[in-house]
Amino acid sequence: MSDNAFVHVRDLRVVFRRDGQTINAVNGVSFEVQKGEVMALIGESGSGKSVTLRALMRLHPPGSSELSGTLQVGDDEVLTMSASQLRRYRGGRCAMIFQEPLLAFDPVYTVGQQIIEGLRRHEGLSRQAARDRALEALRQVRIPSPERRLDAYPHEMSGGMRQRAMIALALSCNPQLLLADEPTTALDATVQIQILILQQHQQVIHQIRCLVGQLKAVMYRRGQRGFHAFFAYFLRNAFGAAGIQFGGVGGFRIGRFTFGEQLFQLIKEQPLV
């Protein structure tokens, strides 16, 4: 176990039980995330990426799921937290950007009310001070007319604007750990790039200790240069130049993953926004 690691996951197992059936959704996953590090969980649909992230928040229903192993964030063991400790941990020390904000937001409350509630609970602010902070959070994620959008309901926003509001909600209490569950999956390509750049920018502003996200594995055909270029652009802006290790034999690595010469050449040509 590394002394500098902020997140320790060891032999994580998540089992769902329903109608007499047992489903082993996550089976013995282990990883560490260092302070200041951005880590991506990469895998195909159904491989357990979202289940792993939700386990870090203890969001699986206790009656139909079983979690075992070690889930340590800082000095806290997540799996042994009491209900009151979990309320302080969720949204305070650890926050999550969900895949579909329309489902994650409560439809009967305005976006501002939901950000304000978290600020009052975790930061102990007055109603007016919390409203001012919520307004500033919307400004930081570059939502147009934030004063008006603060009192808007989630369904009154576009997909890209809702995702920005979800990022504002997640970052409003200055979490030390940010989890991102495919936050761009329902957005068009242009908005995807904007959201990825925004996440990278906000990580610096809020001094988040580490960020764990997930991407779907990408399949592509040889010769589709346009898609290769977009994927290279996506990787470079998602991870930044410092997160990519270029190899001397026409390849590059992101963490433990190695990519080939064609993407290596294309990614060097993409400007960092």
Side-chain angles (χ1 to χ4, degrees):
M1 183 179 292
S2 171
D3 293 336
N4 196 44
F6 186 69
V7 177
H8 304 272
V9 177
R10 182 178 298 170
D11 197 29
L12 172 64
R13 299 174 187 273
V14 182
V15 177
F16 295 113
R17 303 187 189 281
R18 182 178 179 182
D19 299 330
Q21 293 185 329
T22 298
I23 301 171
N24 297 305
V26 174
N27 192 14
V29 168
S30 299
F31 60 85
E32 291 184 347
V33 188
Q34 309 298 318
K35 295 177 182 178
E37 184 180 19
V38 178
M39 190 191 82
L41 302 178
I42 304 176
E44 61 193 23
S45 295
S47 61
K49 303 184 301 296
S50 294
V51 174
T52 300
L53 291 186
R54 287 172 178 268
L56 281 165
M57 292 277 282
R58 281 268 303 275
L59 291 177
H60 298 300
S64 58
S65 64
E66 294 179 10
L67 278 69
S68 62
T70 299
L71 281 179
Q72 187 174 345
V73 178
D75 297 325
D76 298 326
E77 174 50 61
V78 179
L79 295 185
T80 60
M81 284 182 178
S82 65
S84 61
Q85 289 174 322
L86 276 174
R87 284 193 294 271
R88 291 192 297 269
Y89 170 76
R90 294 171 180 157
R93 187 166 201 180
C94 177
M96 189 166 181
I97 303 170
F98 291 92
Q99 184 175 138
E100 179 44 76
L102 188 59
L103 301 178
F105 275 117
D106 192 321
V108 301
Y109 294 99
T110 66
V111 167
Q113 286 174 320
Q114 295 178 65
I115 299 176
I116 289 168
E117 179 186 5
L119 286 165
R120 298 196 70 189
R121 176 185 294 273
H122 294 292
E123 302 290 311
L125 301 178
S126 67
R127 184 171 296 278
Q128 185 57 51
R131 183 177 176 83
D132 293 342
R133 278 272 296 272
L135 185 60
E136 180 59 27
L138 294 186
R139 287 197 184 103
Q140 286 185 352
V141 297
R142 302 169 190 170
I143 287 182
S145 305
E147 296 84 358
R148 181 163 59 91
R149 299 299 180 183
L150 192 65
D151 296 317
Y153 289 90
H155 71 272
E156 296 177 317
M157 294 182 168
S158 67
M161 198 175 296
R162 266 196 307 270
Q163 196 60 272
R164 289 171 183 267
M166 174 59 64
I167 294 173
L169 173 63
L171 296 176
S172 59
C173 295
N174 296 311
Q176 295 176 310
L177 171 64
L178 179 64
L179 308 175
D181 184 5
E182 282 190 52
T184 64
T185 191
L187 306 176
D188 62 57
T190 303
V191 180
Q192 284 183 5
I193 293 293
Q194 293 172 353
I195 294 298
L196 288 168
I197 295 170
L198 178 63
Q199 275 185 220
Q200 189 180 41
H201 179 62
Q202 292 299 310
Q203 187 188 11
V204 175
I205 289 178
H206 289 267
Q207 297 181 334
I208 297 169
R209 289 199 178 180
C210 51
L211 186 153
V212 180
Q214 58 140 317
L215 310 169
K216 283 186 179 176
V218 178
M219 301 287 290
Y220 58 89
R221 294 180 181 176
R222 188 181 301 274
Q224 292 181 323
R225 182 177 176 83
F227 184 79
H228 291 169
F230 172 76
F231 186 48
Y233 180 90
F234 169 84
L235 285 172
R236 189 168 177 84
N237 284 284
F239 295 96
I244 298 173
Q245 303 168 25
F246 292 97
V249 195
F252 66 94
R253 292 174 57 82
I254 298 177
R256 294 187 297 273
F257 298 96
T258 302
F259 296 84
E261 182 176 1
Q262 190 173 23
L263 275 176
F264 169 69
Q265 294 300 329
L266 285 166
I267 203 169
K268 289 196 298 182
E269 301 169 4
Q270 304 303 318
L272 195 61
V273 176

